[in-house]
């Protein structure tokens, strides 16, 4: 199952003649929105991607048929750290497999913590993403900007993306989050049990192990009253035994009404 992502992502593109690959126009454009300076001296910016109709790109955990996005800031100046806020994504079916991502005009808010507060910031962003319609294409976007202002007025597009983030566990009324782990021949089986009021039809639960190098399957979910249960499997890409910290586990629930972001779980 782990090999499905790579195979699906590249098969359609590589089946094109070499000349067609060279001439293929990637159906996404991007830019950096300079955003505004926050009261603590950090800078809120936006990474904006505009996708052609019928195309999508992927969330931080894309699903078995998606390409996970990767971001780098090499060449940037006056950046101590960055933190991305992911707006609530949509769920798609791709060749019978579930993928998670975005269509249309996508803005990812990013908090930049500078080394020198108030000083100019030079941004050199490298975005390795996947875009998909009838074919799936890995693509690198290189975006740059120099920010040297003290604007404190929020940018509407970034503010809207921030407002579209999933609810926190507290905001959503989560009363409990436990994870039971069971060894399997390949790794670990995980059962997440959430005390969470219904957030609408077709609830999808995505579990992130919180550690690199671990593949996580789709989950099977069922609800009984205010309790939502999700079951899935984890395997190490290296084939080594799997060990995780429950405090690092991140659980996202996507529903018709809204989404919920749950950080950590206790033994269950």
């Amino acid at each position: 199952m782990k090999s499905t992502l790579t195979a699906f992502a590249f098969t359609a593109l590589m089946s094109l003649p070499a000349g067609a690959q060279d001439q293929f126009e990637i159906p996404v454009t991007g830019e950096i929105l300079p955003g505004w300076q926050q009261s603590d001296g950090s800078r809120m910016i936006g990474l904006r991607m505009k996708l052609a109709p019928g195309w999508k790109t992927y969330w931080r955990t894309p699903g078995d048929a998606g390409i996970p996005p990767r971001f780098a800031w090499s060449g940037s100046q006056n950046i101590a750290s960055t933190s991305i806020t992911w707006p609530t994504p949509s769920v798609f079916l791709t060749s019978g497999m579930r993928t998670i991502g975005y269509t249309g005009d996508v803005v990812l808010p990013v908090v930049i913590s500078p080394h020198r507060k108030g000083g100019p910031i030079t941004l050199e962003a490298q975005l390795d993403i996947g875009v998909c319609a009838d074919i799936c294409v890995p693509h690198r976007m290189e975006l740059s900007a120099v920010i040297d202002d003290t604007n404190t007025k929020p940018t509407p597009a970034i503010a809207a993306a921030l407002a579209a983030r999933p609810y926190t566990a507290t905001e959503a009324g989560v009363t409990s989050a436990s994870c039971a782990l069971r060894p399997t021949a390949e790794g670990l089986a995980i059962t997440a049990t959430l005390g969470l009021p219904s957030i609408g039809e077709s609830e999808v639960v995505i579990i992130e192990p919180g550690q690199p190098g671990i593949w996580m399957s789709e989950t099977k979910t069922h609800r009984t009253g205010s309790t939502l249960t999700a079951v899935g499997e984890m395997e190490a890409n290296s084939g080594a035994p799997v060990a995780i910290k429950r405090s690092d586990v991140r659980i996202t629930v996507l529903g018709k009404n809204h989404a919920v972001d749950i950080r950590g779980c206790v033994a269950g």
Side-chain angles (χ1 to χ4, degrees):
M1 194 66 168
K2 289 179 287 184
S3 63
T4 301
L5 185 153
T6 301
F8 182 84
F10 288 92
T11 296
L13 177 62
M14 296 309 295
S15 66
L16 295 174
Q21 293 179 41
D22 294 339
Q23 298 170 15
F24 185 79
E25 182 176 351
I26 302 300
V28 60
T29 59
E31 64 176 322
I32 294 176
L33 302 178
W36 66 94
Q37 184 171 296
Q38 302 190 106
S39 59
D40 63 356
S42 64
R43 185 83 187 194
M44 179 67 75
I45 70 161
L47 297 177
R48 185 175 213 162
M49 293 175 280
K50 293 185 178 181
L51 292 140
W55 289 80
K56 63 179 178 286
T57 192
Y58 296 102
W59 188 54
R60 63 172 186 263
T61 299
D64 277 334
I67 300 173
R70 297 287 182 264
F71 302 89
W73 302 90
S74 58
S76 298
Q77 298 179 25
N78 196 23
I79 291 183
S81 65
T82 63
S83 177
I84 297 176
T85 295
W86 294 86
T88 298
S90 298
V91 180
F92 307 97
L93 284 178
T94 303
S95 297
M97 292 179 288
R98 187 174 71 197
T99 57
I100 314 294
Y102 306 100
T103 59
D105 191 347
V106 185
V107 176
L108 300 180
V110 183
V111 175
I112 304 290
S113 296
H115 290 291
R116 303 180 308 282
K117 294 181 179 180
I121 299 173
T122 299
L123 298 176
E124 298 290 343
Q126 300 87 43
L127 287 64
D128 288 306
I129 63 172
V131 289
C132 191
D134 295 328
I135 63 172
C136 290
V137 185
H139 178 54
R140 166 165 282 202
M141 302 178 70
E142 296 186 351
L143 308 177
S144 61
V146 177
I147 301 175
D148 188 13
D149 65 56
T150 56
N151 171 53
T152 59
K153 183 178 180 181
T155 305
I158 301 176
L162 288 169
R165 64 165 177 77
Y167 290 180
T168 66
T170 300
E171 291 169 339
V174 175
T175 58
S176 61
S178 65
C179 295
L181 302 174
R182 177 178 57 83
T184 67
E186 293 78 22
L188 286 177
I190 182 170
T191 299
T193 304
L194 311 174
L196 170 67
S198 174
I199 61 173
E201 299 175 359
S202 304
E203 291 170 317
V204 171
V205 178
I206 302 142
I207 300 176
E208 298 171 75
Q211 297 182 42
I214 297 178
W215 169 83
M216 178 73 213
S217 73
E218 292 184 6
T219 62
K220 296 181 179 179
T221 65
H222 70 271
R223 173 175 286 280
T224 303
S226 61
T227 300
L228 182 64
T229 303
V231 179
E233 297 183 6
M234 301 178 187
E235 298 178 25
N237 294 334
S238 64
V242 176
I244 65 169
K245 295 180 180 179
R246 288 181 174 85
S247 58
D248 292 338
V249 171
R250 189 170 185 176
I251 303 170
T252 303
V253 186
L254 305 176
K256 181 179 180 180
N257 299 333
H258 54 265
V260 185
D261 183 8
I262 301 167
R263 308 292 185 96
C265 55
V266 299

